[in-house]
Amino acid sequence: MTLTIMTLAERPDLAPLLDDGFDGAWPPFMLWDPMGSVYYAVADELYPEFVFAAVDPAEPDRVVARAYAVPLRWTEDELPDGGWDRMIQRATLGRLTGSTPNLVSALEICVRPDRRGEGVSALMLAAMRAAVARHGFDTLVAPVRPSGKAAVPDVPMAEYAARRRPDGLPEDPWLRVHVRAGGVVERVAPRSMAVTGTLADWRRWTGLPFDTSGPVHVPGALAPVLVDVAHDHAAYVEANVWVRHRL
């Protein structure tokens, strides 16, 4: 497989293609994390050197995979409980206040659904690591969304992330890609992202009835969605796993 992986700084003309063919890549409810638009609405313009696109010469007018990262300043000893949301928030505040970034956080690596299973995610991660190093950073962190966790939504993330194969590598496929690339699993980010909405919102996003209070299993969710019928809302809080790459 021959792919060319470029940043939007190198190929700004690829920006309109980053959504083409990615329908269904993420569960619909995930697109409603309120912090997401704070980054994605400006990523192409403000962070083009950290927006990546993979192109197959056999189909040059389509993108096989995309990836997003953001530079920020983080000086605390531990990476935050807030995970994905917190990285976007800190990067945005840092840009507004003029602080100097000292690391880069990955935010997304997504392979087009019809091209999954070809090892593309590992290539995208390698390209991101190389780009971060080229820009003078020695650390890439990632609030990883373990790809297999949705199959066991009731298992606590800490327990799931600790599962290992006989060879010592993580049981989860996406965590395994990161570790094979040189990443070190550090800790769980217990509230990495949060999505809330009315019951009508959740019915529209999932097609489920949402007519009973309590936990509801939603396809693609890593944990149950908590429903409160009397107050007409439901909330999803997703844990991710912090992985640190020293470059």
Side-chain angles (χ1 to χ4, degrees), residues 71-82:
L72 63 130
R73 185 163 190 82
W74 189 266
T75 57
E76 288 85 340
D77 291 337
E78 281 195 336
L79 292 168
D81 290 345

Side-chain angles (χ1 to χ4, degrees), residues 162-187:
R163 293 179 176 180
R164 293 292 183 272
R165 305 192 314 180
D167 61 5
L169 290 170
E171 184 178 292
D172 181 80
W174 192 209
L175 283 175
R176 196 160 60 244
V177 169
H178 276 268
V179 171
R180 280 178 169 156
V184 175
V185 176
E186 288 201 350
R187 64 184 296 252

Side-chain angles (χ1 to χ4, degrees), residues 102-186:
N102 62 345
L103 56 74
V104 174
S105 177
L107 294 176
E108 176 185 351
I109 293 178
C110 185
V111 180
R112 213 172 66 203
D114 64 315
R115 296 296 298 265
R116 292 178 178 174
E118 301 177 17
V120 177
S121 60
L123 298 177
M124 296 298 285
L125 178 57
M128 183 181 290
R129 283 171 50 101
V132 170
R134 280 199 309 273
H135 283 88
F137 295 95
D138 63 8
T139 302
L140 170 70
V141 298
V144 175
R145 186 177 199 267
S147 56
K149 179 64 172 66
V152 287
D154 292 321
V155 174
M157 182 62 83
E159 177 183 331
Y160 178 80
R163 293 179 176 180
R164 293 292 183 272
R165 305 192 314 180
D167 61 5
L169 290 170
E171 184 178 292
D172 181 80
W174 192 209
L175 283 175
R176 196 160 60 244
V177 169
H178 276 268
V179 171
R180 280 178 169 156
V184 175
V185 176
E186 288 201 350

Side-chain angles (χ1 to χ4, degrees), residues 180-206:
R180 280 178 169 156
V184 175
V185 176
E186 288 201 350
R187 64 184 296 252
V188 169
R191 51 179 180 84
S192 190
M193 61 171 58
V195 179
T196 62
T198 66
L199 301 186
D201 289 333
W202 281 97
R203 291 175 187 127
R204 184 173 68 254
W205 299 336
T206 67

Side-chain angles (χ1 to χ4, degrees), residues 4 33 42 46 51 64 69 74 96 124 133 137 143-144 156 158 167 180 182 197-198 203 218 232 234 243 245 247:
T4 302
D33 179 318
V42 297
L46 299 184
V51 179
V64 172
W74 189 266
L96 290 172
M124 296 298 285
F137 295 95
V144 175
D167 61 5
R180 280 178 169 156
T198 66
R203 291 175 187 127
V218 170
D232 188 27
V243 178
H245 294 260
L247 307 175

